[in-house]
Amino acid sequence: MSALMAVQRLGRIPAALFVALSLVNSFVFSAVDRLGTWPAALPEGLLALDIVDKIQVDPNTTARFSSDYGGLSQAAPAAVLYPSSPDDIATLVRFAYSSSSSSSSFSIAAHGHGHSIRGQALVPGGVVVDMASLGRGRSDRINVSSDWYVDAGGEQLWIDVLRETLKHGLSPRSWTDYLYLTVGGTLSNAGISGQAFRHGPQISNVYELDVVTGKGDTITCSREENSDLFYGVLGGLGQFGIITRARIALEPAPRRVRWLRLFYTDFSSFTGDQELLVSMTEKVFDYVEGQLLTEKDVGNSSFFSDNDTEKIKMLAAEYGGIYFVEGGVYYGPATASMVDRKLESLLKRLSFVPGFAFTKDVAYISFLNRVQEEETHSTAPEDVLHPWLNMFVPKSRIRDFEMGVFKGILKKNNPIGLVLIYPFDKNKWDDKMSAVIPDEEVFYTIGLLPSATVDDWKYLDSQNDEILRFCHQEGIDFKQYLPHYTTQTDWKNHFGLKWDAFVQLKRRYDPQALLSPGQRIFTSSP
């Protein structure tokens, strides 16, 4: 303050300007007193913004945002923003953009529910945006329309979107297996589950978005308006903007689900039946997934009775590894009488092991929330690590993948963990969007989802590397889902023909590469 007073006494600035500067100076010192030691990585200009009271820099706060669900990466941010509106996010990003040419530039990452697995949502030395704060204490962030869509904040969990839409007898069409993920998080990747063969991934079921770009602009976009941003953001890994609202397609919600698991000892029969189920003109199943089971993996599900569990264990022990197709048939009061008849006719066409078809009848919400309900009964420790690998493999090479990975690498290493295997229809994906898939009409998602400890995660991670090397050596044109690469060359190969357009969008909407640096796509301005 003494410097300001000296300048004022000398008459070098008008009295009114002196008062204004004094107020700013006082505000900055007050903010520093409240926040404590200000991080050297961040410009002090942040202290003069009207969002400063929503920023926390204490180590206890930043430590909570220094890891993710995978547990394999650690990187603490310098600060955390707890926004109360999308405007707060825009204010932060605009300031970062205006400071990006200085030595005190910083990056920004949106944090949803923290379910990235390779540090993709971490921002070392930057600012994390705690998206959950947008909906905290508010009831206006999920709005259901009678025109069969819902406007949901990017911070909203899919389970909450489901609960709110069910009040109106409606439901989103496409899901993820786990519903405690945010709308913005899954739409930045794709959002896949067993409904995608009918409706496409979640990104194919979006009408409109509100996005805060890397310049701090808030833009509404759709297929008709600002369409380049709309298509780019969906599956865009957070590279072009932060999703603050999504308009999502709805359909009438069923009441019940006939839930089936059909077991196979032969991989060709297993995949053949899956492909039949997803390609039928008059589809009976509304949901189709599949899994690989070893003897050690049997018994981890409340789906089966104790007697059925022992029966399945014996089958797995005999063959060393078995498969099951998981199906769901949705129905309501008007269609209940048809379900048994349709299933009886369809099951006669399938090639599962006789006597190994198991069914349950559950409420629709219980079926969609099945993963959480299983976890509620789980005795697994909470501090496990998740060295996961998710891939899309073309149908023409799925048998090669089976021989080299399922009957080769995995059998040799005797894994314990969830292995998902189920097909998608390429025509249900919009190629204009950033998400990349194999160039075949039918392709499979492979999810290798083990749980690990600090003692064995590196072993499992090296197994993932071995699988990727095998695919490269055999010329299998796979694509990673929830991709993790460390060089731009690998990212170019991942995006293929979409790479040039991806770079152009980055230059247009985040030219200083401020957003989501944890993806490691652009380590400097594009």
Side-chain angles (χ1 to χ4, degrees), residues 213-331:
T213 72
K215 295 180 179 179
D217 299 324
T218 299
I219 298 177
T220 298
C221 55
S222 66
R223 286 174 173 81
E224 294 77 31
E225 180 182 11
N226 301 307
S227 60
D228 63 333
L229 182 62
F230 177 79
Y231 289 120
V233 165
L234 293 171
L237 307 177
Q239 293 303 298
F240 314 121
I242 297 172
I243 298 171
T244 59
R245 178 187 65 90
R247 179 165 291 179
I248 301 157
L250 302 177
E251 66 178 0
R255 297 279 188 87
R256 308 286 298 176
V257 178
R258 185 63 55 80
W259 187 4
L260 302 92
R261 290 183 176 177
L262 314 173
F263 280 82
Y264 298 76
T265 57
D266 175 68
F267 186 76
S268 295
S269 298
F270 163 72
T271 54
D273 279 2
Q274 283 189 312
E275 290 164 18
L276 171 65
L277 292 171
V278 303
S279 64
M280 294 173 65
T281 303
E282 185 180 348
K283 293 178 173 59
V284 176
F285 281 23
D286 297 280
Y287 161 98
V288 174
E289 289 195 6
Q291 290 185 31
L292 164 66
L293 280 182
T294 65
E295 183 183 1
K296 291 183 178 181
D297 300 322
V298 180
N300 296 329
S301 173
S302 61
F303 184 94
F304 305 106
S305 68
D306 291 343
N307 287 338
D308 290 340
T309 296
E310 289 305 313
K311 182 178 174 182
I312 295 165
K313 279 186 177 180
M314 292 176 62
L315 187 70
E318 180 181 354
Y319 286 89
I322 55 177
Y323 308 90
F324 71 81
V325 170
E326 183 172 56
V329 181
Y330 301 165
Y331 68 95

Side-chain angles (χ1 to χ4, degrees), residues 4-59:
L4 283 173
M5 292 178 66
V7 172
Q8 197 271 343
R9 282 199 302 270
L10 292 171
R12 294 180 180 175
I13 60 175
L17 181 57
F18 170 77
V19 171
L21 290 173
S22 299
L23 289 172
V24 170
N25 204 42
S26 176
F27 183 72
V28 169
F29 279 119
S30 174
V32 171
D33 289 341
R34 179 183 64 80
L35 291 167
T37 303
W38 185 249
L42 298 179
E44 291 187 358
L46 269 172
L47 295 165
L49 299 180
D50 60 5
I51 59 170
V52 68
D53 61 330
K54 301 170 185 176
I55 295 175
Q56 295 289 334
V57 298
D58 65 280

Side-chain angles (χ1 to χ4, degrees), residues 76-352:
V80 179
L81 172 69
Y82 293 91
S84 57
S85 73
D87 288 342
D88 291 342
I89 301 173
T91 297
L92 174 70
V93 179
R94 278 196 300 271
F95 178 81
Y97 181 63
S98 67
S99 307
S100 58
S101 59
S102 69
S103 59
S104 55
S105 62
F106 61 94
S107 298
I108 298 169
H111 180 278
H113 207 50
H115 267 256
S116 61
I117 54 175
R118 297 284 179 172
Q120 292 97 326
L122 303 184
V123 56
V127 179
V128 162
V129 178
D130 177 43
M131 295 297 289
S133 294
L134 287 175
R136 198 161 288 141
R138 298 178 61 175
S139 59
D140 62 344
R141 296 289 294 165
I142 304 177
N143 297 289
V144 182
S145 170
S146 58
D147 290 329
W148 289 16
Y149 67 77
V150 58
D151 283 323
E155 78 288 352
Q156 293 296 314
L157 300 180
W158 283 100
I159 183 63
D160 294 324
V161 175
L162 173 61
R163 287 170 176 154
E164 191 62 30
T165 56
L166 284 178
K167 294 176 183 177
H168 302 262
L170 299 170
S171 167
R173 299 184 298 209
S174 191
W175 294 98
T176 52
D177 287 331
Y178 184 62
L179 301 186
Y180 290 76
L181 306 173
T182 62
V183 168
T186 65
L187 296 183
S188 295
N189 289 281
I192 59 173
S193 186
Q195 302 88 358
F197 79 95
R198 293 195 71 149
H199 302 293
Q202 289 180 316
I203 56 175
S204 295
N205 293 272
V206 177
Y207 295 141
E208 187 176 272
L209 299 169
D210 284 343
V211 176
V212 176
T213 72
K215 295 180 179 179
D217 299 324
T218 299
I219 298 177
T220 298
C221 55
S222 66
R223 286 174 173 81
E224 294 77 31
E225 180 182 11
N226 301 307
S227 60
D228 63 333
L229 182 62
F230 177 79
Y231 289 120
V233 165
L234 293 171
L237 307 177
Q239 293 303 298
F240 314 121
I242 297 172
I243 298 171
T244 59
R245 178 187 65 90
R247 179 165 291 179
I248 301 157
L250 302 177
E251 66 178 0
R255 297 279 188 87
R256 308 286 298 176
V257 178
R258 185 63 55 80
W259 187 4
L260 302 92
R261 290 183 176 177
L262 314 173
F263 280 82
Y264 298 76
T265 57
D266 175 68
F267 186 76
S268 295
S269 298
F270 163 72
T271 54
D273 279 2
Q274 283 189 312
E275 290 164 18
L276 171 65
L277 292 171
V278 303
S279 64
M280 294 173 65
T281 303
E282 185 180 348
K283 293 178 173 59
V284 176
F285 281 23
D286 297 280
Y287 161 98
V288 174
E289 289 195 6
Q291 290 185 31
L292 164 66
L293 280 182
T294 65
E295 183 183 1
K296 291 183 178 181
D297 300 322
V298 180
N300 296 329
S301 173
S302 61
F303 184 94
F304 305 106
S305 68
D306 291 343
N307 287 338
D308 290 340
T309 296
E310 289 305 313
K311 182 178 174 182
I312 295 165
K313 279 186 177 180
M314 292 176 62
L315 187 70
E318 180 181 354
Y319 286 89
I322 55 177
Y323 308 90
F324 71 81
V325 170
E326 183 172 56
V329 181
Y330 301 165
Y331 68 95
T335 56
S337 61
M338 301 170 57
V339 171
D340 289 334
R341 189 167 64 252
K342 283 188 174 183
L343 278 176
E344 182 180 2
S345 175
L346 175 61
L347 294 182
K348 291 177 180 178
R349 300 173 60 186
L350 303 181
S351 302
F352 57 88

